[in-house]
Amino acid sequence: MIENINSFIFQLLNYPYLQNALFAAVLVGIICGVIGCFIILRGMALMGDAISHAVLPGVVIAYMLGASFFVGAVITGVLTALAIGFISQNSRIKEDSAIGIMFTAMFAAGVVLITALQGTSVDLWHILFGNVLAVSRTDLYFTLGIGIFVLGTIVIFYRPLLLSTFDETMAKATGLPVKWIHYMLMLLLSFVTVASLQTVGIILVVAMLITPGATAYLLTERFSVMLFLSAFFGVVSAVTGLFFSVIYDVSSGASIVLVASVLFAIAFFFAPKQGLVFKMLKKPKNETVAP
Amino acid sequence: MADERSIKVDRLSVHYHGQTAIRDITFTVSKGMIVGVIGPNGAGKSTLMKAMLGLEKSKGEVLFFGKKINAIRKQVAYVPQRNSIDWDFPVRVEDVVLMGRFMHIPWYKKTSREDRSRAREALEKVGMQEYSNRQIGELSGGQQQRVFIARALAQDADLFFLDEPFVGIDVESEKIIVELLHQLSKEEKTIFIIHHDLSKVEKYFDELVLLNQTLIHAGNVKEVYKPDFLKEAYRGSAAVINEGNEMVVVGP
Ligand SMILES: Nc1ncnc2c1ncn2[C@@H]1O[C@H](COP(=O)(O)OP(=O)(O)OP(=O)(O)O)[C@@H](O)[C@H]1O
Ligand SMILES: [Mg+2]
C-alpha cells in the first residue's frame, strides 16, 4: 500500500495531466457535495438524476454545432426542469412520473443523436462515465469558474435557501420567491452536472450529489456542518477514488463513486447517533421507541 | 380611519381543480384581537388562511390595515401545521428560532449578535432555553410547538397566523402558549388561530370565524358561539347541548 501511495505521489508530481485530474476531482467533490445537501433535504434525488441525464442531448447538439457544450448542457438541463414542473402542474401526473417521462425522453434523444453521428469523435462512453485523466488546463479553469459561481451563489442565498428548504410555507408567507429559488437550484444543478461530466460522467453524477450528503446527514444535526462534511466526503472520495483508478487502472468515475459508497456504508453502520449498530445497542435500555 | 385598525376579508373564494374549497368569505376583525377560525374537517380553514396570506390563488380582496398582503409580509408570522414539517431536518432549536430573524437581515449581512439575542429571548419566553442545542426531532410535540411560537416571537411581527397550534400538545405547553398569545394581544398584535375542536373556544378567543366552505358566521365569540350556528357548521357531526347558562359541546 505504502508503495502504491508513493507511486501515486510520484506520478502526481511528474505528470501535469494527473494534477489537472486531481484538482478537477476535488472541485467536483466539493460542489457536488454542497449542492447535494439541498437536493437530499428537498427530497429531490430523482430530480438530480433527471437533470444530469437531460444534459446529454445538449452536449451532443452543442458538439454538432461546434458551440460550447456548457451552454448546450445548461439549456437542456433547465428546459427539462421547466418541462417537469409544467407537466406536473398542468395535469394529474405526479411529479415523480413527470420526472421519469422527461429524463428518459431527453436521454434517449441524446443517445439517438450520438448514434446518428457515428464515426465522429464524440465518445459516448466518456460522456456517460467520465474520463478524468483527459481533463485539460482549460477544462480545469472552466470547472473552477463553475465552482466559484455555485459556491458564491449558495453563500449569498444561504438563508433563503435554508428557510425555503426547511419550511416552504413560512418562506412564501414572508415573501421569498420560492419558485425562483427552486429554478435557481435547478440551474446550479445543471452547472454542477456539466462540471462533473469529465470526472464522473452523466450516469454517476447523481451518486456524487446524493451519497456524500447522505453520509453527512447521518453524522450531524446542523445544516451548516452538513454542508462542510458533505464537501469533505466528496473530496475524500475524489482523491481516494482517483488513487485507486491510477494504481489499478480502472475507471476513475466509478472508483470515486465506490469510495463514496463505502464511506456511506461506514456511517450507516457506525455513526454515533444514527448508526445502525449503536441504535441496536441502545434499544433495550430505552423504554420509549423513537418514532 | 377604521381601515387602519382592521383586517377586511371581502368575498374570498378558492377553487382547487374546479372544486370549491371556500366561497365568498367576508368578515372584518379589528386589530389586537385573538381570532379563532373554526369549522369541521375539510371546511377550508387552512385554505382560508393561505388565501389570506396570498399563498393560494384566490378571488376576492383581503386588506390588512388598509394594505395588501405584499406590503406587510415582513410583519406576518406563520406557524405551520405540525405535520408539514420534516422533523428529521438537521436544525437545532436555536437555528429554527433564528429563522424568525431572517427577513430582517439584508442579504449581504451576517446574522448579528442582536439577532441572536432576540432569538434567545424568544426561546426564554416559551421556556425552552435549556433545549437550544437539541435537534428539533428530539422534542415532544408541545415543545416543538413552543419552538415555532418562539420563532414567530423572534420575528417581531404584527400579525400571527397559527395553524392548529394545540393539536397533540401537553397541557403545560398549551398553557404557556395561550398566556403568550394573550400577552401579544395586549400589545395590539392580531392573532389568527385555526382551532379544530370546540373545547375552550370561549376561553381562548375574542372573535370567531365559523365556516364550512361558506361563512356561517363571524364576530364576537359570544355572538358566534351559539348552538344554531355550530349545528349549521358541523351539520350533525357535533352534538351541541344547552344546559342553562353553560353550553356543553361534544365533538365528533
Ligand atoms: N392543494 C390542494 N389541492 C386540492 N385540494 C385541496 C388542496 N388543499 C386542500 N384541498 C381541499 O380543500 C378542502 C379544504 O381543505 P383545508 O385543508 O383548507 O381544510 P381544513 O379546514 O384546514 O381541514 P383540517 O381540519 O383537516 O385541517 C378539502 O376538501 C381539501 O381536500
Ligand atoms: Mg387544515
Side-chain angles (χ1 to χ4, degrees):
Chain A
M1 197 63 181
I2 302 282
E3 280 161 47
N4 285 338
I5 292 174
N6 282 337
S7 140
F8 181 64
I9 291 172
F10 175 78
Q11 293 189 44
L12 201 55
L13 293 176
N14 286 286
Y15 302 116
Y17 79 90
L18 199 55
Q19 293 163 9
N20 290 347
L22 186 74
F23 280 127
V26 165
L27 278 169
V28 165
I30 293 173
I31 53 179
C32 281
V34 169
I35 285 285
C37 291
F38 292 98
I39 304 293
I40 290 175
L41 291 172
R42 288 172 164 249
M44 293 193 337
L46 194 56
M47 193 64 145
D49 208 15
I51 302 287
S52 53
H53 281 74
V55 151
L56 182 61
V59 172
V60 181
I61 293 171
Y63 180 84
M64 285 162 66
L65 300 177
S68 146
F69 70 97
F70 173 69
V71 176
V74 168
I75 289 176
T76 47
V78 172
L79 271 183
T80 307
L82 290 170
I84 290 167
F86 186 78
I87 292 176
S88 61
Q89 274 157 30
N90 289 291
S91 73
R92 58 195 293 182
I93 308 285
K94 300 255 185 329
E95 185 168 58
D96 58 339
S97 304
I99 291 174
I101 294 166
M102 276 315 296
F103 98 76
T104 47
M106 295 299 269
F107 192 65
V111 174
V112 165
L113 282 174
I114 285 189
T115 43
L117 279 179
Q118 241 167 23
T120 66
S121 63
V122 179
D123 193 334
L124 183 61
W125 179 265
H126 281 168
I127 295 179
L128 294 186
F129 296 105
N131 180 18
V132 75
L133 299 181
V135 171
S136 68
R137 261 287 121 142
T138 329
D139 295 334
L140 185 59
Y141 288 139
F142 176 70
T143 311
L144 186 64
I146 292 183
I148 291 172
F149 179 78
V150 169
L151 294 180
T153 311
I154 287 179
V155 168
I156 290 172
F157 293 109
Y158 178 75
R159 286 188 297 258
L161 276 167
L162 172 60
L163 184 56
S164 68
T165 305
F166 176 63
D167 186 348
E168 194 182 324
T169 322
M170 171 175 170
K172 279 190 206 156
T174 56
L176 286 182
V178 169
K179 236 187 205 152
W180 286 107
I181 293 176
H182 172 80
Y183 286 116
M184 182 185 85
L185 260 183
M186 294 300 103
L187 185 73
L188 294 183
L189 193 55
S190 318
F191 283 13
V192 168
T193 305
V194 181
S196 319
L197 268 184
Q198 286 186 299
T199 317
V200 282
I202 284 177
I203 305 233
L204 293 177
V205 170
V206 70
M208 288 310 283
L209 287 170
I210 307 299
T211 313
T215 313
Y217 185 36
L218 294 176
L219 292 171
T220 179
E221 289 168 353
R222 303 204 71 180
F223 185 63
S224 46
V225 179
M226 179 177 167
L227 288 175
F228 281 103
L229 272 181
S230 178
F232 173 73
F233 289 131
V235 170
V236 171
S237 312
V239 175
T240 320
L242 190 63
F243 165 77
F244 283 119
S245 132
V246 168
I247 296 300
Y248 298 107
D249 193 20
V250 290
S251 154
S252 54
S255 50
I256 289 173
V257 169
L258 269 186
V259 174
S261 314
V262 169
L263 291 177
F264 174 77
I266 295 172
F268 180 76
F269 287 108
F270 301 110
K273 221 165 179 179
Q274 302 293 332
L276 200 60
V277 171
F278 291 95
K279 268 188 185 166
M280 300 250 259
L281 288 177
K282 268 187 224 153
K283 224 176 211 164
K285 279 187 221 155
N286 282 355
E287 284 186 20
T288 47
V289 179
Chain B
M1 239 172 42
D3 255 357
E4 281 163 20
R5 308 253 336 142
S6 65
I7 295 163
K8 287 191 165 150
V9 176
D10 188 24
R11 278 167 293 161
L12 196 61
S13 305
V14 177
H15 302 272
Y16 290 118
H17 313 300
Q19 278 200 327
T20 309
I22 54 173
R23 182 156 41 94
D24 283 340
I25 306 268
T26 301
F27 61 88
T28 304
V29 297
S30 36
K31 198 174 180 180
M33 292 290 140
I34 303 186
V35 185
V37 179
I38 312 278
N41 263 321
K45 303 182 292 293
S46 301
T47 305
L48 172 65
M49 209 175 244
K50 283 186 187 151
M52 287 177 71
L53 291 170
L55 306 180
E56 212 69 80
K57 257 193 211 146
S58 61
K59 266 193 240 138
E61 194 179 47
V62 183
L63 288 177
F64 298 92
F65 317 123
K67 292 184 195 129
K68 292 239 158 105
I69 179 72
N70 283 333
I72 55 136
R73 281 213 181 277
K74 282 187 183 171
Q75 299 310 319
V76 175
Y78 174 82
V79 177
Q81 221 165 334
R82 287 248 319 287
N83 59 17
S84 73
I85 293 294
D86 171 10
W87 296 105
D88 287 328
F89 201 96
V91 280
R92 303 189 304 189
V93 166
E94 58 181 7
D95 305 327
V96 173
V97 180
L98 199 56
M99 286 180 198
R101 300 298 309 163
F102 280 6
M103 67 288 301
H104 299 300
I105 311 171
W107 62 272
Y108 51 87
K109 276 198 183 149
K110 282 177 43 167
T111 48
S112 66
R113 192 171 297 163
E114 189 191 331
D115 292 314
R116 278 169 210 288
S117 75
R118 288 268 182 112
R120 210 172 313 115
E121 279 164 30
L123 210 49
E124 275 164 25
K125 277 192 190 151
V126 298
M128 288 290 294
Q129 64 277 23
E130 291 156 48
Y131 296 87
S132 64
N133 283 327
R134 290 272 195 101
Q135 194 266 333
I136 51 164
E138 295 167 4
L139 306 174
S140 76
Q143 292 170 331
Q144 290 172 342
Q145 196 62 287
R146 273 146 72 187
V147 170
F148 277 82
I149 300 282
R151 184 179 74 173
L153 292 176
Q155 200 180 327
D156 270 335
D158 290 328
L159 278 159
F160 291 76
F161 288 79
L162 292 76
D163 199 340
E164 310 218 8
F166 304 123
V167 168
I169 75 172
D170 54 295
V171 183
E172 164 83 5
S173 296
E174 183 158 340
K175 223 177 92 190
I176 291 175
I177 293 173
V178 169
E179 263 166 32
L180 273 170
L181 294 177
H182 279 114
Q183 179 69 36
L184 288 170
S185 139
K186 276 193 201 121
E187 295 165 15
E188 291 269 280
K189 316 280 188 187
T190 317
I191 305 159
F192 286 85
I193 302 175
I194 294 184
H195 198 56
H196 191 85
D197 67 286
L198 292 171
S199 61
K200 297 180 190 157
V201 162
E202 286 174 298
K203 234 163 91 192
Y204 286 178
F205 307 119
D206 304 318
E207 310 217 341
L208 283 188
V209 173
L210 181 65
L211 80 162
N212 191 350
Q213 287 197 9
T214 55
L215 184 75
I216 307 293
H217 205 68
N220 193 282
V221 177
K222 290 201 185 71
E223 206 180 290
V224 181
Y225 196 65
K226 287 195 172 139
D228 287 347
F229 291 135
L230 292 174
K231 258 186 225 160
E232 196 185 333
Y234 283 77
R235 296 196 188 118
S237 58
V240 186
I241 312 151
N242 233 340
E243 288 182 351
N245 282 341
E246 292 254 320
M247 187 151 62
V248 180
V249 180
V250 187

